[in-house]
């Protein structure tokens, strides 16, 4: 950082303290280092090799009005802002590409405002942990229905801003299906409240300006979500070994198009299955489903699952004990301790476990994308021999298609700061190219972040015009999360392609 930038940093921090309080402005160097990236650069972070600027400060507003004041100040001074709530992003959405950036953290916006079990909705501030809300609901016999693997550490504002999805989405939907209303703050300081109603035809659905905006248009301060009755004693689990992943996907399609909605519906390749189900997968593909809800619905869904399995019995090898599936599901989520342990493992070992790229497409093209990607990685990726796992699974299905997680682990034989450029990005690029070529979406639920932004225009095609105009209108000074969603050539060259 230059002398001028250091002087500017001090000036910004002093102004923020005047605007808020000293206790609400964090300039601790370790915290700033942690805030400079998200889990996308977890290996470089673990090895103390992060190659992006530290932010100037992390601020903790106590109200929407304070968020408004901070954004208005940053907009006037043209200071880059990164909204943060939960810190579980995996696509570089929280990574900093600008000197003297301000992180606005929702930690103090931590109140459950209201749980209304008659109207079946819960209103919470952005910094409320999902698990805290879920626990409060379950005490009353209800649930959010939202259960991402990050549930123990994720927070509500971040889940909405990234258009999150949970492991039970095939039944309950994604976060966009759960949000009834919300409050958000724009760069000019305007606080917008979108009211909570079951449905309306009052013009375009303006919730979706905020939902999934990844902090590039506004800062979400409060959300209201639907809640559902909770029937844990009725859950039924189903598991099968299959000849190939295509058989599993055919079963998923059959269940979905016949009108049934299991809460869990997953089909794994043999490589990915061995990672999760080594104790019973026998080097075969795995299909798992879960029926959830009122007893009559569970019974009907279970019958539909069994009928679909019977229809494609030529590809079914054997049934798996349902207790094995239930035990796996009950231990699926990651706690903060799990995340910390993963970082410790990367300090000690030159290897990477669990990188993924998730896409979506219709039923016809999903197998085509999967097979093309597998072939191209094996043929074109120059370090394919260093991969320790290459596979995938479908885990979120719809009446007209499904998603695919591509999963790849590898030994790392390069400098920590070059790991993504040498390993992940070439694989990532093949997956995105093949998906877009077949008309699918390059990002099913992790968001675009900064490391898929070079393909945002191709993702949206002629509709990118609409997205671009939103940015021009709501963030004309371009202060909101520079580099996320909207492609920036300087950032792509410096931080993705590593051109100095």
């Amino acid at each position: 950082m230059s002398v001028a930038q250091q002087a500017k940093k001090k000036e910004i921090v002093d102004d923020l303290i005047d605007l808020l309080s000293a206790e609400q402005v964090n300039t601790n160097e370790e915290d700033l280092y942690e805030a400079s990236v998200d889990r996308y650069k977890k290996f470089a972070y673990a090895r103390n090799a992060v190659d992006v600027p530290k932010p100037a400060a992390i601020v903790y507003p106590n109200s929407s009005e304070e968020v408004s004041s901070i954004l208005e100040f940053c907009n006037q001074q043209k200071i880059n802002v990164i909204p943060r709530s939960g810190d579980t992003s995996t696509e570089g959405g929280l990574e900093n590409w600008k000197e003297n950036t301000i992180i606005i953290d929702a930690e103090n916006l931590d109140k459950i405002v209201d749980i209304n079990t008659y109207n079946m909705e819960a209103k919470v501030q952005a910094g409320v942990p999902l698990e805290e809300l879920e626990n409060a609901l379950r005490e009353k016999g209800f649930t959010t229905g939202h259960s991402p693997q990050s549930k123990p550490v994720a927070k509500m504002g971040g889940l909405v801003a990234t258009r999150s999805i949970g492991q039970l989405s095939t039944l309950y939907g994604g976060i966009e299906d759960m949000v009834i209303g919300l409050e958000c703050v724009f760069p000019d300081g305007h606080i917008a409240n979108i009211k909570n109603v079951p449905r309306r035809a009052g013009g375009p659905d303006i919730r979706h300006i905020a939902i999934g905006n990844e902090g590039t248009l506004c800062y979400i301060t409060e959300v209201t979500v639907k809640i559902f009755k909770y029937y844990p004693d009725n859950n039924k689990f189903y598991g099968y070994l299959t000849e190939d992943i295509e058989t599993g996907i055919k079963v998923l399609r059959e269940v979905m198009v016949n009108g049934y909605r299991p809460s869990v519906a997953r089909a794994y390749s043999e490589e990915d299955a061995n990672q999760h189900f080594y104790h019973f997968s026998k080097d075969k593909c795995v299909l798992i489903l879960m029926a959830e809800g009122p007893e009559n619905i569970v019974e009907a869904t279970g019958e539909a699952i069994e009928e679909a399995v019977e229809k494609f019995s030529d590809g079914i090898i054997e049934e798996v004990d349902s207790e094995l599936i239930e035990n796996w599901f009950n231990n699926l989520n990651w706690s903060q301790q799990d995340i910390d342990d993963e970082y410790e493992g990367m300090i000690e070992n030159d290897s990477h476990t669990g990188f993924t790229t998730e896409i979506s497409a219709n039923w016809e093209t999903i197998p085509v994308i999967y097979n093309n990607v597998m072939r191209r990685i094996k043929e074109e990726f120059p370090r394919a021999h260093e991969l320790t796992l290459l596979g995938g699974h479908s885990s979120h299905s719809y009446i007209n298609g499904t998603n695919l997680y591509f999963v790849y682990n590898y030994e790392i034989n390069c400098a920590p700061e070059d790991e993504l450029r040498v390993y992940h990005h070439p694989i990532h690029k093949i997956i995105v190219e093949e998906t877009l070529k077949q008309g699918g979406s390059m990002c099913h639920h992790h968001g675009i972040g900064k490391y898929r932004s070079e393909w945002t225009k191709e993702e949206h095609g002629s509709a990118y015009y609409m997205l671009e105009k939103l940015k021009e209108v709501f963030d004309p000074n371009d202060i909101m999360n520079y580099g996320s969603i909207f492609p920036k050539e300087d950032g792509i060259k410096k931080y993705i392609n590593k051109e100095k």
Side-chain angles (χ1 to χ4, degrees):
M1 182 181 286
S2 68
V3 173
Q5 287 170 332
Q6 288 175 341
K8 181 64 175 175
K9 175 181 176 179
K10 184 180 185 307
E11 180 184 332
I12 291 170
V13 170
D14 288 345
D15 286 343
L16 288 170
I17 290 172
D18 289 341
L19 191 64
L20 301 169
S21 69
E23 292 74 23
Q24 290 173 270
V25 181
N26 183 357
T27 57
N28 177 275
E29 287 298 316
E30 288 185 9
D31 292 340
L32 296 181
Y33 175 74
E34 181 181 356
S36 63
V37 293
D38 59 22
R39 285 179 54 72
Y40 190 83
K41 284 190 174 172
K42 54 189 177 181
F43 185 72
Y45 171 82
R47 294 300 186 91
N48 201 30
V50 167
D51 58 354
V52 298
K54 293 178 185 177
I58 306 166
V59 296
Y60 307 96
N62 293 324
S63 66
S64 300
E65 289 72 24
E66 288 191 347
V67 173
S68 174
S69 297
I70 297 163
L71 286 177
E72 193 171 9
F73 164 74
C74 290
N75 197 39
Q76 291 169 353
Q77 299 294 320
K78 295 183 170 57
I79 299 167
N80 185 49
V81 169
I82 299 179
R84 189 174 79 173
S85 171
D87 199 14
T88 59
S89 176
T90 61
E91 298 300 323
L94 296 179
E95 185 173 311
N96 179 36
W97 282 5
K98 284 278 191 179
E99 294 287 355
N100 286 324
T101 288
I102 301 302
I103 309 293
I104 305 180
D105 193 289
E107 182 176 316
N108 293 348
L109 302 174
D110 59 355
K111 296 179 181 62
I112 296 177
V113 179
D114 182 47
I115 293 175
N116 189 319
T117 59
Y118 191 80
N119 289 331
M120 299 296 283
E121 60 188 40
K123 180 184 290 188
V124 298
Q125 290 184 309
V128 170
L130 171 58
E131 190 160 75
E132 183 179 320
L133 174 60
E134 184 68 22
N135 290 342
L137 287 170
R138 289 190 182 185
E139 287 178 4
K140 300 174 182 290
F142 296 86
T143 177
T144 60
H146 198 59
S147 186
Q149 194 170 6
S150 61
K151 184 170 77 172
V153 287
K155 295 181 179 179
M156 295 301 293
L159 293 169
V160 175
T162 55
R163 212 171 179 86
S164 165
I165 210 161
Q167 294 154 128
L168 311 176
S169 71
T170 305
L171 173 61
Y172 294 103
I175 198 74
E176 69 275 13
D177 301 304
M178 302 171 180
V179 174
I180 306 166
L182 57 85
E183 179 185 80
C184 59
V185 187
F186 288 90
D188 63 359
H190 178 76
I191 301 173
N193 281 284
I194 302 175
K195 64 184 178 182
N196 308 321
V197 290
R199 185 186 186 273
R200 58 176 164 168
D205 192 342
I206 54 176
R207 291 174 300 175
H208 294 280
I209 293 173
I211 297 171
N213 88 92
E214 298 185 37
T216 64
L217 301 176
C218 61
Y219 191 103
I220 296 169
T221 52
E222 184 180 273
V223 298
T224 303
V225 294
K226 301 172 185 175
I227 61 175
F228 305 86
K229 286 192 173 182
Y230 185 49
Y231 300 95
D233 295 337
N234 295 342
N235 293 348
K236 284 194 172 184
F237 296 85
Y238 302 82
Y240 306 89
L241 303 187
T242 65
E243 293 285 0
D244 47 43
I245 192 172
E246 286 88 348
T247 296
I249 290 173
K250 287 177 182 177
V251 172
L252 298 183
R253 179 189 175 278
E254 185 72 11
V255 172
M256 296 300 295
V257 301
N258 285 337
Y260 297 92
R261 297 294 177 267
S263 57
V264 176
R266 295 183 169 219
Y268 288 78
S269 72
E270 54 265 55
E271 300 90 351
D272 199 9
N274 285 340
Q275 178 178 225
H276 294 280
F277 313 110
Y278 57 88
H279 51 306
F280 66 77
S281 61
K282 302 178 183 178
D283 294 321
K284 301 297 182 183
C285 297
V286 171
L287 169 67
I288 62 172
L289 301 104
M290 171 179 160
E292 177 179 343
E295 189 174 353
N296 291 344
I297 290 177
V298 169
E299 290 300 322
T301 304
E303 289 176 11
I305 290 168
E306 290 170 346
E307 288 171 5
V309 168
E310 178 60 30
K311 181 173 180 177
F312 297 100
S313 58
D314 287 350
I316 304 294
I317 298 170
E318 63 182 70
E319 189 172 355
V320 175
D321 185 346
S322 63
E323 285 190 14
L324 294 172
I325 308 301
E326 183 175 6
N327 289 339
W328 164 80
F329 183 76
N330 289 337
N331 294 282
L332 186 56
N333 290 341
W334 275 47
S335 67
Q336 187 60 52
Q337 186 60 54
D338 292 320
I339 294 171
D340 293 342
D341 289 345
E342 184 189 33
Y343 282 128
E344 286 298 317
M346 287 186 285
I347 292 172
E348 299 170 1
N349 300 294
D350 290 324
S351 62
H352 206 306
T353 57
F355 234 132
T356 63
T357 300
E358 27 62 64
I359 59 95
S360 65
N362 62 35
W363 294 112
E364 275 185 334
T365 54
I366 276 289
V368 176
I369 294 169
Y370 179 79
N371 290 325
N372 286 353
V373 166
M374 291 294 127
R375 174 184 54 78
R376 283 192 59 191
I377 291 174
K378 291 171 184 176
E379 292 177 358
E380 299 175 21
F381 180 47
R383 300 209 181 201
H385 60 284
E386 294 174 13
L387 291 171
T388 57
L389 185 149
L390 176 63
H393 64 266
S394 166
S395 51
H396 307 276
S397 287
Y398 311 86
I399 197 166
N400 60 324
T402 191
N403 87 308
L404 267 183
Y405 259 111
F406 290 94
V407 182
Y408 36 99
N409 304 343
Y410 43 78
E411 300 292 339
I412 298 172
N413 295 299
C414 67
E417 60 270 28
D418 292 330
E419 174 244 330
L420 293 170
R421 177 181 60 82
V422 172
Y423 292 94
H424 173 64
H425 205 64
I427 298 173
H428 194 60
K429 184 173 184 287
I430 289 171
I431 296 167
V432 170
E433 286 176 351
E434 287 300 321
T435 300
L436 293 176
K437 189 188 300 181
Q438 297 296 330
S441 172
M442 68 171 178
C443 43
H444 175 258
H445 64 271
H446 284 167
I448 290 175
K450 293 179 175 67
Y451 287 88
R452 296 189 217 192
S453 64
E454 60 182 295
W455 298 289
T456 302
K457 291 181 180 178
E458 192 175 350
E459 165 76 14
H460 289 280
S462 60
Y464 182 74
Y465 167 85
M466 301 165 69
L467 197 61
E468 194 171 38
K469 290 302 177 185
L470 287 174
K471 185 70 168 175
E472 290 174 9
V473 170
F474 290 116
D475 185 22
N477 290 330
D478 200 16
I479 69 157
M480 299 296 288
N481 205 359
Y482 182 88
S484 282
I485 297 183
F486 301 90
K488 303 295 182 183
E489 289 302 319
D490 60 330
I492 290 168
K493 288 178 180 178
K494 188 172 183 181
Y495 298 118
I496 298 178
N497 297 325
K498 304 285 185 176
E499 296 177 13
K500 303 298 184 184

